[in-house]
Amino acid sequence: MIKNYFKIAWRSLAKQKAYSLINVIGLSVGLTACLIVSTVVIDELSYDKQWSKGDRIYRVLSVSNVIKGEAPQPATFSGLGPSLKRDLPETEDYCRISVIHSRLKLTTDEEGINLKVLRAEPTFWNMFDTKVLEGNPKKFIKGYTNIVISEKMRKQYFKDKEAVGKVIENVPEFGDPKRYLVTGVIENLPQNSHLQADVITLNEYRAQDNRIPGINEGYTFEPQYVLLKRGTNIEAFTKKVNQWYAVNYKGKVLDYLFRLQPLKDIYLRSDFPAVQEVHGNIRNVYIFAVIAALLLIIACINFINLTISRVFTRARETGVRKALGAGTAQIIARFLAESVLFFALSFAIAVILYPILIKYVEVYLGHPLVINLFNGAFLFIAIAGVAMVSLLTGLYPAWYLSKPKPTVIFRDKLPTSGGLNLLKRSLIVGQFTISATIIIATLVVRYQVDFMSQRDLGFDKSNLVNIDFTDWGKTGESFKNTVKQIPGVTGASITNWYPSSGSGSMSRGVKLDKKNVTLYFIQGDADLPYIMGFRLRKGRLFDRNTNADALSQDSLMGGVTDPETKRLITSQPILATAYTAKLMGLKINTLAGKFEGMPVGVVSDFYSESLHNKVKPTVIQAIKDQRYGAMLIKTIPGNGKHVLEAVNKLYKSYYPARPFKYNWVSDLIDRQYRADFKLQQLFTCFSLLIIFLACIGLFGVVAFATEQRIKEIGIRKVLGASVQDIVTLISVDFIKLVLVAFLIASPIAWYAMNAWLQNYAYRVSIPVWAFGLGGASIVVLALITISFKSVRAAFINPAESLRAD
């Protein structure tokens, strides 16, 4: 019997081609988009879920207990992990882990191969699962930095030779080359983890690095992970850690509080782009999940609307079947079979389109999706979900279509149902409410992104090249002066800071009245303010001709005992931003008092970080004889290519063993907003999809509504109605529904976008024109959609329409 239901359903679909085509197109587009977006959401949620001990692994976050409101750092004292294991029995193990980029000589290329390196210690094997393919990497060989390569690296660079036991070198940016001993080959580290790398390097730490240093000792901060014993209450343990630190180290070391971030939260709930390259955003995951649901909902609304729009044309069919003895349950099953068949056909088309489109999505995202429709149980879940949705979606139309009594075959049409009309109108309003909300949201997102990309940053980012941080040695100043002589170059500066690299070269807590604030220091040579185009508000900039305002880098590193040097540091000329001068009460040519330095000039505020963060109190110091740092080069417009070729050639002559790595500063700044640009593009794409689905559904409803009124239209034309009158007659009811949808969507969009904008330190006010443009857009799109059918109906010859059955 079920087989017969599907046969009849197939014949019905084949007979009513226009209705079937509209339904299949709408459902196919909706299901395809929903599957793709769901894949992205599921893949994002899968990060770091594969580690067997992952539920017991935490990353330590440090929060300054002196500077209130300071954001947490994903790093802590190098010796904290060993100290926790020694003193607190809940700590099963620890590991200091960081992911860096390094160049290794895996080929004869002197510049080496740029690889992603997971730098860890031997305890890594006690915490994370890896399958060993060759060697015995878990046995640490002393005297070397051990390196474990991935299967991918093995196949690519050691295809026909033994890898284990080979000694390789790196191409350092600082210091001398290091030697690495290959101790093993492991399976590729998972792509859906924030710990992505091509190779793992392992080193043991010195004894002094395994303790927490005193306040006057040098110290290092490193990303650190701890493995807790089973049954440990994380809240109680966190409290215990901070109490332990306060009892044992208060007043002896820097005052910090510690938090423990679950491993499973690191990818989606971290905002540390400077130290964590691989990260997502839980907020975007929620947005994508909602959009996936909306795409499916609109596709289902289309199906319901189109089905109940045909209730009058199916009434006689139902009446005949009942007259021949069919029961209500049989008729409901018959129409449910039709619903399942529609969804099955559409799902089959979606499955065909999916692998084609998902490749473009991966390219757009910039990384492969580990989980997809054909991976694991996803396909079975999708099939079960589509089957359930098809039954739920088809249930009401099937029930309503089963209502007509056998006597309906003697009538011209089924009596009008107020409830049915209310449902159709409500569904249309629902569709266009979603469409209007998404259009308004897209416009607001675009407005915010444009605001960030076009806002005056307080410096000139154009035609500015940045050479990456490196060790300039004793020839840095000579190299810079030679670069300045290249035609097309207007200036150059060696600096410890550049736009997008952070708030400053270093920071310091400063007591201000009854609160502490973090003061950020930007250190560069005397040319930096000129190269950056900082705007002088009062006083003067650094004297770059005599270099008298600059101190040596060594003298600013602390530990100075010479009285004369101390005096120079205390009275060193500095520049302050306008915000800093006002906040700290600084005056020109008057000692700062709260910190070393003599303000000689005040420059306009500028954004050292992205507009996601507020302007920080910033001081600029001039330094000379810098050994480590980046270099900023200002070029004349149109000379960029020529200058880069010349600088590259010059760089090779000074530093032949190092790769020349550079970026345009404008590109570095744009990268800070890459996620925002992508979100804007995705909103635009989704809004177009949702509008398309809403319009195709509206087109179908209008088409069947017009067919029902074909005789009425003919009579009106005979009585003198114009084409415009007929089009207005058909359109006005639907446009009213669209306007109602806009009125409902407006407060929803305002609330949602106001909440979204709170994530930006500098944000736009939601513009009124976004609502006007959004409302006008859906009205125009609805009118265009309605006109395709209504204009055609208005031109039908009354003689033909009045003869219609």
Side-chain angles (χ1 to χ4, degrees):
M1 182 174 289
I2 294 176
K3 183 178 179 181
N4 288 334
Y5 287 151
F6 281 105
K7 277 186 178 180
I8 296 168
W10 176 258
R11 290 171 187 166
S12 177
L13 266 63
K15 181 179 179 182
Q16 299 157 22
K17 293 182 176 61
Y19 163 74
S20 301
L21 184 63
I22 292 173
N23 254 332
V24 169
I25 290 175
L27 287 174
S28 298
V29 171
L31 288 174
T32 303
C34 183
L35 286 173
I36 289 174
V37 177
S38 298
T39 301
V40 174
V41 170
I42 293 171
D43 187 78
E44 289 285 287
L45 293 173
S46 74
Y47 273 67
D48 289 312
K49 301 295 192 299
Q50 65 278 83
W51 311 112
S52 62
K53 299 178 183 177
D55 60 331
R56 298 191 286 132
I57 298 175
Y58 296 82
R59 181 169 67 178
V60 182
L61 303 182
S62 301
V63 186
S64 173
N65 203 26
V66 176
I67 306 168
K68 301 299 182 184
E70 182 79 348
Q73 304 176 57
T76 186
F77 299 108
S78 177
L80 183 68
S83 300
L84 290 177
K85 185 176 181 180
R86 181 192 65 229
D87 294 347
L88 302 183
E90 296 90 342
T91 308
E92 183 175 315
D93 219 328
Y94 64 90
C95 188
R96 287 159 282 201
I97 303 173
S98 55
V99 179
I100 63 171
H101 284 270
S102 182
R103 288 187 171 270
L104 298 176
K105 291 184 179 180
L106 301 179
T107 65
T108 56
D109 187 353
E110 285 298 314
E111 290 191 356
I113 308 298
N114 186 27
L115 298 176
K116 204 180 254 190
V117 177
L118 191 151
R119 189 170 57 189
E121 54 189 314
T123 53
F124 176 84
W125 307 117
N126 301 333
M127 298 173 65
F128 296 92
D129 314 296
T130 54
K131 183 178 180 181
V132 178
L133 302 178
E134 295 179 30
N136 186 14
K138 296 182 181 180
K139 181 181 179 182
F140 184 79
I141 298 177
K142 297 181 180 293
Y144 286 94
T145 295
N146 292 191
I147 185 168
V148 183
I149 66 173
S150 65
E151 184 179 10
K152 174 186 172 184
M153 293 295 103
R154 170 76 170 88
K155 292 178 179 178
Q156 189 169 355
Y157 298 107
F158 300 94
K159 188 174 182 180
D160 300 318
K161 50 189 174 181
E162 187 66 33
V164 177
K166 186 175 180 59
V167 176
I168 58 178
E169 289 187 346
N170 70 335
V171 180
E173 294 179 1
F174 305 96
D176 299 321
K178 290 182 180 179
R179 292 161 62 84
Y180 300 84
L181 175 65
V182 180
T183 59
V185 180
I186 60 172
E187 277 191 345
N188 298 330
L189 290 173
Q191 283 292 319
N192 55 341
S193 170
H194 77 287
L195 298 174
Q196 295 177 12
D198 302 306
V199 299
I200 300 174
T201 61
L202 303 166
N203 229 331
E204 291 185 323
Y205 281 72
R206 302 172 303 172
Q208 58 263 42
D209 296 324
N210 291 332
R211 63 180 182 83
I212 298 177
I215 198 166
N216 293 320
E217 296 181 73
Y219 64 91
T220 58
F221 258 42
E222 293 186 80
Q224 216 153 147
Y225 296 73
V226 293
L227 174 66
L228 303 185
K229 292 181 179 177
R230 294 191 184 279
T232 301
N233 182 297
I234 188 60
E235 293 181 2
F237 180 70
T238 302
K239 184 177 180 180
K240 185 175 181 179
V241 169
N242 286 307
Q243 289 174 342
W244 163 83
Y245 185 77
V247 169
N248 291 279
Y249 299 100
K250 190 171 182 63
K252 302 175 184 177
V253 295
L254 298 178
D255 197 0
Y256 276 93
L257 286 174
F258 303 104
R259 299 177 189 170
L260 296 178
Q261 183 182 27
L263 179 67
K264 62 182 180 181
D265 289 348
I266 292 177
Y267 175 74
L268 288 175
R269 291 180 170 85
S270 297
D271 188 22
F272 315 114
V275 295
Q276 184 182 324
E277 182 179 335
V278 180
H279 62 92
N281 190 316
I282 189 63
R283 179 168 52 94
N284 289 346
V285 171
Y286 291 146
I287 291 173
F288 295 153
V290 169
I291 286 174
L294 292 178
L295 288 165
L296 185 58
I297 289 170
I298 288 187
C300 292
I301 287 175
N302 280 351
F303 179 81
I304 295 172
N305 255 344
L306 290 171
T307 304
I308 62 178
S309 293
R310 297 177 63 248
V311 66
F312 300 104
T313 63
R314 308 296 292 272
R316 288 188 179 182
E317 176 189 342
T318 302
V320 169
R321 290 183 181 279
K322 284 195 171 184
L324 293 175
T328 300
Q330 290 175 305
I331 293 174
I332 289 176
R334 149 94 185 82
F335 286 119
L336 279 178
E338 191 172 305
S339 172
V340 171
L341 186 58
F342 267 121
F343 273 86
L345 283 173
S346 302
F347 183 70
I349 294 171
V351 170
I352 293 171
L353 294 174
Y354 178 90
I356 300 171
L357 297 176
I358 202 71
K359 293 178 181 177
Y360 294 100
V361 173
E362 289 179 332
V363 171
Y364 178 75
L365 294 175
H367 64 84
L369 297 171
V370 176
I371 296 177
N372 59 55
L373 182 62
F374 308 107
N375 185 311
F378 191 2
L379 180 60
F380 298 103
I381 294 172
I383 292 172
V386 169
M388 185 179 296
V389 169
S390 68
L391 291 173
L392 292 174
T393 303
L395 192 59
Y396 180 81
W399 172 79
Y400 199 89
L401 289 170
S402 70
K403 288 175 61 177
K405 298 178 180 179
T407 53
V408 78
I409 61 176
F410 302 111
R411 299 179 183 173
D412 289 334
K413 64 178 182 178
L414 190 69
T416 303
S417 167
L420 187 65
N421 284 332
L422 178 61
L423 177 63
K424 282 200 303 181
R425 290 169 180 265
S426 299
L427 291 175
I428 291 172
V429 168
Q431 280 184 309
F432 279 92
T433 297
I434 294 171
S435 300
T437 302
I438 293 296
I439 289 175
I440 294 169
T442 302
L443 293 171
V444 174
V445 171
R446 175 64 182 268
Y447 191 39
Q448 173 66 22
V449 172
D450 286 347
F451 165 78
M452 293 191 298
S453 61
Q454 297 172 10
R455 187 173 176 86
D456 182 8
L457 300 176
F459 57 82
D460 184 7
K461 66 178 181 179
S462 62
N463 306 301
L464 192 59
V465 177
N466 175 69
I467 300 178
D468 284 3
F469 268 78
T470 191
D471 180 354
W472 300 103
K474 297 180 179 180
T475 57
E477 195 67 24
S478 172
F479 176 77
K480 185 189 83 167
N481 292 331
T482 309
V483 166
K484 290 166 70 174
Q485 297 172 14
I486 295 174
V489 173
T490 62
S493 171
I494 297 178
T495 172
N496 286 345
W497 168 90
Y498 57 85
S500 81
S501 66
S503 301
S505 312
M506 56 174 284
S507 62
R508 183 184 304 174
V510 177
K511 193 170 184 61
L512 185 64
D513 296 329
K514 295 183 179 180
K515 63 179 181 180
N516 292 286
V517 298
T518 305
L519 186 63
Y520 292 88
F521 293 82
I522 288 177
Q523 297 175 332
D525 60 29
D527 289 302
L528 181 62
Y530 301 91
I531 298 300
M532 291 298 302
F534 292 145
R535 296 159 197 162
L536 184 65
R537 295 185 59 169
K538 56 183 174 181
R540 64 176 179 84
L541 298 179
F542 296 135
D543 182 350
R544 57 177 174 173
N545 295 318
T546 65
N547 217 17
D549 294 332
L551 294 183
S552 68
Q553 193 169 32
D554 293 338
S555 65
L556 295 171
M557 296 301 290
V560 176
T561 57
D562 175 53
E564 178 60 20
T565 304
K566 279 188 174 182
R567 185 190 67 78
L568 290 174
I569 293 173
T570 303
S571 60
Q572 181 197 9
I574 59 173
L575 301 177
T577 62
Y579 168 63
T580 309
K582 183 178 179 181
L583 179 70
M584 308 296 293
L586 301 180
K587 296 181 180 180
I588 298 295
N589 298 323
T590 302
L591 290 176
K594 297 180 176 66
F595 56 92
E596 297 92 351
M598 175 85 72
V600 295
V602 175
V603 298
S604 296
D605 292 326
F606 60 89
Y607 297 99
S608 55
E609 297 180 297
S610 75
L611 293 176
H612 292 92
N613 306 305
K614 290 186 176 181
V615 164
K616 304 287 182 21
T618 306
V619 168
I620 304 166
Q621 294 177 314
I623 55 177
K624 59 186 176 181
D625 305 324
Q626 293 189 84
R627 179 167 179 176
Y628 305 105
M631 182 177 290
L632 293 170
I633 303 171
K634 191 72 172 179
T635 67
I636 297 173
N639 286 264
K641 183 178 179 181
H642 156 72
V643 168
L644 285 175
E645 289 174 352
V647 173
N648 185 18
K649 185 177 180 180
L650 181 65
Y651 190 88
K652 289 297 182 186
S653 68
Y654 272 79
Y655 311 102
R658 296 184 200 162
F660 176 64
K661 297 191 294 184
Y662 73 92
N663 289 282
W664 290 98
V665 169
S666 56
D667 292 338
L668 292 173
I669 292 172
D670 288 343
R671 286 178 197 171
Q672 298 177 117
Y673 307 112
R674 184 178 295 168
D676 302 292
F677 286 127
K678 286 192 173 183
L679 186 64
Q680 173 204 316
Q681 293 167 343
L682 288 170
F683 259 95
T684 302
C685 177
F686 291 140
S687 65
L688 292 175
L689 272 176
I690 287 173
I691 291 166
F692 171 77
L693 290 173
C695 287
I696 199 172
L698 180 62
F699 177 81
V701 172
V702 171
F704 291 114
T706 304
E707 288 178 10
Q708 289 174 351
R709 303 178 71 174
I710 196 71
K711 286 188 177 181
E712 177 191 346
I713 292 170
I715 293 171
R716 288 180 180 274
K717 289 195 73 174
V718 169
L719 295 176
S722 65
V723 171
Q724 183 178 351
D725 293 332
I726 301 299
V727 172
T728 302
L729 172 71
I730 297 172
S731 303
V732 67
D733 287 341
F734 292 106
I735 295 303
K736 286 179 182 177
L737 297 179
V738 172
L739 290 174
V740 170
F742 170 69
L743 292 176
I744 296 172
S746 294
I748 296 173
W750 183 88
Y751 177 81
M753 298 317 296
N754 188 59
W756 177 75
L757 286 170
Q758 299 308 309
N759 294 286
Y760 296 90
Y762 298 94
R763 51 186 176 267
V764 297
S765 298
I766 299 178
V768 176
W769 59 260
F771 294 89
L773 184 56
S777 298
I778 61 167
V779 170
V780 170
L781 288 168
L783 276 173
I784 293 172
T785 303
I786 295 167
S787 298
F788 276 114
K789 194 66 182 178
S790 59
V791 170
R792 183 180 176 186
F795 277 103
I796 295 177
N797 191 325
E800 294 180 11
S801 59
L802 292 174
R803 283 201 306 269
D805 293 333

